Amino acid sequence: MALGNWIEPHPTGIYIPSADAWVDPSVPVPRALVTHGHADHARGGHGQVWATPETLAIMECRYGPQAGNPVAYGESIRMGEVEVGFVPAGHVLGSAQLVLDHKGERIVVSGDYKRRDDPTCARFEPVPCDIFITEATFGLPVFRHPETHDELDKLLAALRANPTRCVLVGAYALGKAQRVIGELRVMGFDDPIYLHGALQRLCDLYVELGVDLGDLRPATGVAKAELEGRIILAPPGALNDRWSRRLPDPITAMASGWMRVRQRAVQRNIELPLILSDHADWDELTTTIREIAPREVWVTHGREDALVHWCGLHQIKARALDLVGFEDEDD
């Protein structure tokens, strides 16, 4: 029998017949196992949802009440013939890898993950397994993310050099905005940080769930002079719209792993690109596979071909999965 023949990859998610459950389904299903709260992995409308307490809270914040079954890190549950465990993925608050055990085989579904420290979520934990299902959002050798605090030093330097301007940082509402704030606090930046209204709800939820983000204030309705010399966070779509015109000569920044691609920064009129990703870069992807040492690697959500090729060069059996995803949703 083929390794992993007890799970079925589909474009809309991974189905586990022996548990009668889906992993990160992109359409409503009766029973869903959800790795984290980003919209390309967590959708509303499922009959029942199993996820970490934090992910369930994020889903309720985004989609309303859920028929949720919380599973803490390190805890496992029995679903039919499958043992299901949740282990930190290091992507965003509550993100988890799913550890699936069935008849002596172990499959780990990574969801999205990164290997770097993040003050807003638990760190990735490698789990040895027979099959490792990995993301590949930045699955090309060109993607090697710089040190986080080196990138944020650029932001602080721009702020100091332009005391009558503000720095307007585009950051996705779930995970990236809170990480930028959290990393700045770790670096000793204690000044108030101002928020676009679209970021307020999830930042408040992070604080409710125990993540200290310091002094946060709404940017809307604040006098222009008060915002001089300040950091303001907004969703990427607000960087060049009418809302931003009331700010004091903003230096437009964007926090994303895609800022490695210069053309993306140019297309968005980004003055200060900040290469800051919540996904593993090429070195982290390949190091993780070496560390886990699976018998097979299944690759999804990104640049599958390059990582499959790398596995072949290192005598690791690999295949690409054709799952639906939206690469820019969270980075």
Side-chain angles (χ1 to χ4, degrees):
M1 300 290 286
L3 190 66
N5 69 329
W6 47 278
I7 70 170
E8 301 174 358
H10 296 264
T12 55
I14 295 172
Y15 181 57
I16 313 168
S18 298
D20 191 22
W22 290 79
V23 176
D24 288 351
S26 60
V27 295
V29 298
R31 292 156 59 88
L33 300 165
V34 176
T35 60
H36 67 281
H38 280 133
D40 56 338
H41 293 257
R43 303 293 176 93
H46 301 308
Q48 294 282 323
V49 179
W50 285 261
T52 64
E54 296 85 356
T55 294
L56 289 173
I58 289 166
M59 291 180 69
E60 289 188 358
C61 184
R62 288 188 139 186
Y63 307 125
Q66 302 291 305
N69 302 276
V71 186
Y73 290 139
E75 187 179 346
S76 62
I77 57 172
R78 189 79 180 177
M79 300 187 74
E81 300 175 1
V82 182
E83 196 79 17
V84 182
F86 286 69
V87 175
H91 179 54
V92 298
L93 182 64
S95 61
Q97 305 171 79
L98 300 183
V99 182
L100 310 175
D101 288 295
H102 176 63
K103 294 186 176 179
E105 285 184 12
R106 169 168 287 181
I107 297 175
V108 172
V109 184
S110 72
D112 291 336
Y113 69 97
K114 67 175 179 291
R115 300 301 304 267
R116 303 185 184 210
D117 286 332
D118 180 339
T120 67
C121 67
R123 186 166 186 165
F124 178 94
E125 293 182 9
V127 179
C129 56
D130 298 294
I131 297 175
F132 183 53
I133 302 179
T134 179
E135 64 139 312
T137 302
F138 292 108
L140 290 173
V142 68
F143 290 113
R144 289 182 163 92
H145 305 323
E147 289 300 317
T148 301
H149 290 184
D150 289 348
E151 292 300 288
L152 293 177
D153 276 337
K154 297 177 185 177
L155 189 164
L156 297 176
L159 200 66
R160 290 191 297 268
N162 299 275
T164 62
R165 303 178 70 184
C166 67
V167 178
L168 175 61
V169 184
Y172 285 98
L174 172 57
K176 186 60 61 62
Q178 296 80 21
R179 185 181 176 204
V180 169
I181 297 166
E183 297 284 7
L184 286 169
R185 299 312 189 196
V186 169
M187 295 170 69
F189 184 81
D190 295 324
D191 291 1
I193 294 175
Y194 291 78
L195 301 178
H196 185 285
L199 304 184
Q200 190 69 56
R201 185 172 55 162
L202 282 168
C203 285
D204 289 346
L205 180 61
Y206 265 60
V207 173
E208 290 175 19
L209 294 173
V211 179
D212 184 8
L213 298 177
D215 187 355
L216 302 180
R217 302 181 187 181
T220 302
V222 177
K224 196 171 187 176
E226 184 180 332
L227 296 175
E228 292 180 358
R230 300 298 192 183
I231 294 173
I232 303 167
L233 267 64
L239 293 182
N240 298 301
D241 72 4
R242 183 180 301 174
W243 179 87
S244 66
R245 296 175 195 165
R246 52 174 293 279
L247 304 176
D249 191 14
I251 299 167
T252 305
M254 175 78 177
S256 170
W258 296 112
M259 290 297 97
R260 170 67 73 185
V261 182
R262 178 171 176 78
Q263 188 60 28
R264 293 214 180 194
V266 172
Q267 288 170 349
R268 289 176 173 264
N269 297 315
I270 301 301
E271 184 177 350
L272 181 63
L274 303 171
I275 305 169
L276 184 67
S277 177
D278 286 327
H279 293 269
D281 67 7
W282 176 258
D283 290 333
E284 292 169 334
L285 290 168
T286 56
T287 297
T288 300
I289 292 170
R290 289 181 186 275
E291 183 176 5
I292 291 173
R295 294 164 60 190
E296 292 187 17
V297 174
W298 297 1
V299 187
T300 187
H301 286 100
R303 277 70 187 158
E304 294 100 332
D305 291 348
L307 196 56
V308 168
H309 179 68
W310 179 90
C311 288
L313 292 176
H314 293 81
Q315 291 75 54
I316 303 169
K317 187 176 180 181
R319 59 180 285 203
L321 303 184
D322 184 22
L323 301 186
V324 175
F326 304 96
E327 64 181 22
D328 283 345
E329 201 281 337
D330 53 27
D331 216 298

